[in-house]
Amino acid sequence: MEKDHARPSPARLSIEPTQFAGAPDGPPVAWMIRAGLTPYPDALDFMEQRVAAIAAGEAPETVLLLEHPPLYTAGTSARREDLTDPDRFAVYEAGRGGEYTYHGPGQRIAYVMLDLKRRRPDVRAYVAALEQWIIATLAEFQVRGERREDRVGVWVTRPERPRGPDGSVAEDKIAAIGIRVRRWVTFHGISLNVDPDLTHFSGIVPCGVRGHGVTSLTDLGILVSLPEVDGVLRRNFETVFGPTA
């Protein structure tokens, strides 16, 4: 079985984000952080090898945190017209669900490789659990992250900005989710905007969603370092998914 996650189904938000902790006596999830900027092909190679090893029972489930140099990635649903500046940065075929997204310095990427057979073999519920992890992390920085039924990712309202043509409150995306599942082992994962250069998003239509912007913790006035964010991410990951080591 191999699936990707692109747009949410209408029933997605009816699934309660429950804990995805494994068996109480199961091994902890390996928690890895790479310093510096990791080339995108290197991250893809690592995930391919680790997912195969997890599926074979030869490696522990793993979360890999890193940053990439500035680049764009194309998911399996990417539309050519959403790449508005193809010469700005390198563009990579990601193999994950979703459309175009940006990765770069100041953005915390978390590649999550979990065996859903040991947890709950439900992809929609797994995506809801990832959302819950991000929302709980943002809450510790006094930021209210929210889901949207018709849009992938985690969003924040911007009432200080002009309303949309329909009178709706302005909203910005602060975190993206794109996953793939192979033999019930997940890979790819989430990206949380801590302090990236937000102008870099202008070369694409992020995740194919028009009419909304992107934001970051820094843009919202929350000045924190990546190590601080990593600590909060790890604590909230353990609440939803279980122990790490």
Side-chain angles (χ1 to χ4, degrees), residues 99-148:
E99 302 184 39
Y100 284 107
T101 192
Y102 165 78
H103 293 320
Q107 186 186 66
R108 178 47 90 205
I109 307 296
Y111 290 128
V112 184
M113 291 153 274
L114 300 179
D115 187 346
L116 297 187
K117 296 193 305 296
R118 306 180 197 176
R119 297 171 179 273
R120 180 178 173 182
D122 185 325
V123 175
R124 290 181 299 168
Y126 170 64
V127 172
L130 292 176
E131 291 172 331
Q132 182 63 23
W133 174 32
I134 297 168
I135 290 168
T137 296
L138 291 172
E140 293 205 33
F141 296 110
Q142 292 73 55
V143 173
R144 181 174 178 175
E146 299 177 349
R147 300 177 178 87
R148 291 292 178 264

Side-chain angles (χ1 to χ4, degrees), residues 156 158 161 172-174 193 196 198 213-217 219-220:
V156 296
R158 306 300 300 270
R161 293 188 176 174
D172 287 342
K173 191 175 197 176
I174 194 168
N193 295 334
L198 296 179
V214 291
T215 190
S216 65
L217 288 173
D219 185 49
L220 296 172

Side-chain angles (χ1 to χ4, degrees), residues 203-244:
I204 57 171
V205 178
C207 299
V209 178
R210 299 177 185 272
H212 298 282
V214 291
T215 190
S216 65
L217 288 173
T218 295
D219 185 49
L220 296 172
I222 311 298
L223 305 181
V224 292
S225 66
L226 281 179
E228 289 177 279
V229 172
D230 291 346
V232 178
L233 279 169
R234 186 170 188 172
R235 181 164 60 249
N236 284 286
F237 178 91
E238 291 183 335
T239 298
V240 178
F241 296 100
T244 63

Side-chain angles (χ1 to χ4, degrees), residues 6-7 72-86 91 93 96-101 150-151 203-211:
R7 292 189 179 278
Y72 297 132
T73 68
T76 54
S77 302
R79 296 172 294 191
R80 179 63 182 79
E81 62 269 25
D82 289 342
L83 181 61
T84 59
D85 189 355
V91 181
E93 298 292 331
R96 54 157 176 80
E99 302 184 39
Y100 284 107
T101 192
D150 59 341
R151 285 181 255 131
I204 57 171
V205 178
C207 299
V209 178
R210 299 177 185 272

